[in-house]
Amino acid sequence: MTDEQGADSIAEGLADGMGGVEETAAAATTQLEAAADLETVAALERRLLNRSGPLAEAKSRIGALDPAERAAAGRRLNEARARIESAVAAARERLGAADDNDDRYAAERLDLTERLPRSTALSRGRIHPVTAARYRLEDVFVGMGYSVEEGPEVESAWYNFEALNIPDWHPARGSFDTIFVNLGEPEEVMLRSHTSPVQIRTMENREPPIYVVAPGRTFRTDTADATHLPAFNQIEGLAIDRDINLGDLAGTINTFVGALFGRDVETRLRPSYFPFTEPSAEFDISRPDGSWLELGGCGMVHPNVLRNCGIDPEEWQGFAFGFGIDRLAVMRHEIDDIREFVNNDVRFLSQF
Ligand code: PHE
């Protein structure tokens, strides 16, 4: 008996009515177990289970049965169907396929095996240019005897302002374009608007002499444009020792700029104002065309700041500086638009 004939005989059994559906399902199961290939299984399945097949036909006759018998007949029919379906699935599994799309799968198979010629190195990710600038700066300062500190990105008014000699009435607060966090008292918690709060945290926790740099993310309400990002990176420097003066600050800036850019880049200090340094200055570095680029702020640590951290200004002095790392990277790589750093375009980033 061929499989086709087998399917026909099952159909006949069912065509008699509901009688013998169990035997019919058993016969179908036997046939499916004996099927030698997937086509046979598919043909049996089609004949037995499709919408014009014997099971469907038997089902349509349920309506003609005595109402009292209908539920039981329906249940028996469904059980028979379930048995046949699981026999079909078992046959498929035995013959090595989950369904009858095998040919299609074979035809549409994508070969995702990739072979690289031996000469081609696997391309690896790389360090973001801003991160690279940060690491480079850290290395330069570590080479000058500084250690690296970090502070939290969410700060309190004490660390971001008050301890830095910026009381709440001070107009300088307004110049920091601070992003406040809706927590606690109004304007009490904020995203730090500079890395200077790490000066305070360091002086609270360490005995002088202190030589630290503190790189990290800072935030202001700036709208992103070619030269501004609302989230940017600064690096803070703090040196506290005996008999430190403005010449040490100027020399330190000159030394690290030289280490970073080479000896032919010059630096200059311009008088400025910050509440936490006195005197204060802005420092610039020379561009190849002779113009000056403003890099950051600096100055001698204000005696009030030292006192706020329990350091006696009669015994200890120091200088501090802070500047934007992103800006430095822009200048180093001659990038037109600082927003490139946060677009996450691999074509841009892979140039560095
Ligand atoms: N915190 C200042 C700023 O963000 C820079 C600065 C740091 C100035 C240290 C003086 C000393 O503008």
Side-chain angles (χ1 to χ4, degrees):
M1 178 170 80
T2 67
D3 292 320
E4 295 269 304
Q5 287 165 340
D8 285 341
S9 64
I10 292 164
E12 274 158 32
L14 281 169
D16 289 343
M18 292 312 119
V21 280
E22 288 78 15
E23 289 77 3
T24 306
T29 301
T30 308
Q31 299 226 310
L32 284 160
E33 278 168 1
D37 52 52
L38 288 165
E39 279 95 275
T40 308
V41 174
L44 280 166
E45 182 188 34
R46 237 178 349 259
R47 282 179 165 264
L48 291 161
L49 297 177
N50 76 20
R51 292 178 78 227
S52 58
L55 283 183
E57 230 185 285
K59 191 174 178 181
S60 72
R61 278 199 293 275
I62 287 181
L65 295 176
D66 189 301
E69 294 172 0
R70 283 182 202 164
R75 207 179 313 117
R76 287 171 61 196
L77 194 61
N78 286 343
E79 278 165 13
R81 174 181 283 275
R83 273 189 71 185
I84 295 170
E85 280 170 351
S86 68
V88 167
R92 284 237 166 76
E93 199 168 296
R94 173 173 56 83
L95 294 168
D99 57 40
D100 62 0
N101 285 328
D102 243 33
D103 293 346
R104 213 189 84 216
Y105 288 158
E108 295 180 0
R109 181 169 181 270
L110 291 177
D111 185 358
L112 298 177
T113 319
E114 196 177 354
R115 270 170 215 239
L116 292 174
R118 264 179 205 284
S119 58
T120 314
L122 216 55
S123 82
R124 303 152 90 191
R126 51 188 87 207
I127 310 245
H128 190 282
V130 173
T131 308
R134 171 182 165 162
Y135 289 167
R136 179 109 174 77
L137 281 162
E138 288 178 6
D139 290 348
V140 165
F141 281 111
V142 165
M144 291 166 70
Y146 287 65
S147 57
V148 180
E149 285 284 325
E150 274 184 289
E153 293 179 352
V154 180
E155 271 295 10
S156 66
W158 169 257
Y159 287 105
N160 199 72
F161 291 129
E162 239 127 281
L164 287 162
N165 204 32
I166 320 175
D168 57 7
W169 49 263
H170 201 291
R173 280 214 185 182
S175 69
F176 280 98
D177 301 320
T178 309
I179 298 172
F180 292 99
V181 174
N182 190 8
L183 209 71
E185 295 293 308
E187 310 207 343
E188 184 53 41
V189 181
M190 63 213 65
L191 300 183
R192 64 178 177 191
S193 47
H194 50 176
T195 42
S196 298
V198 192
Q199 287 187 35
I200 306 301
R201 292 182 175 275
T202 306
M203 287 189 277
E204 277 179 351
N205 293 322
R206 291 208 197 186
E207 295 293 320
I210 294 169
Y211 290 86
V212 295
V213 285
R217 276 208 297 183
T218 46
F219 308 84
R220 292 191 196 173
T221 55
D222 289 331
T223 303
D225 64 23
T227 54
H228 295 87
L229 290 173
F232 54 106
N233 294 269
Q234 284 192 337
I235 185 163
E236 192 82 7
L238 176 71
I240 306 288
D241 210 330
R242 288 179 225 268
D243 302 322
I244 288 197
N245 60 45
L246 201 64
D248 298 313
L249 169 60
T252 302
I253 289 175
N254 212 37
T255 305
F256 88 75
V257 169
L260 217 55
F261 293 107
R263 284 280 137 213
D264 45 342
V265 176
E266 286 182 85
T267 63
R268 72 171 186 191
L269 301 190
R270 272 181 299 113
S272 185
Y273 173 75
F274 297 101
F276 34 96
T277 46
E278 181 59 36
S280 301
E282 247 142 357
F283 63 96
D284 303 338
I285 60 176
S286 66
R287 288 207 190 89
D289 67 0
S291 65
W292 294 95
L293 176 80
E294 183 193 320
L295 207 58
C298 63
M300 302 307 292
V301 178
H302 196 291
N304 287 351
V305 175
L306 294 171
R307 271 187 220 107
N308 286 338
C309 303
I311 292 176
D312 180 1
E314 300 299 325
E315 193 182 351
W316 304 98
Q317 300 80 45
F319 61 73
F321 56 83
F323 58 92
I325 301 176
D326 316 68
R327 273 230 182 135
L328 204 77
V330 159
M331 134 117 195
R332 185 145 181 237
H333 300 294
E334 293 172 35
I335 290 157
D336 304 330
D337 191 325
I338 200 167
R339 288 171 292 192
E340 294 282 11
F341 284 149
V342 290
N343 284 343
N344 282 339
D345 185 335
V346 175
R347 291 165 301 179
F348 169 79
L349 293 172
S350 61
Q351 299 174 87
F352 303 99

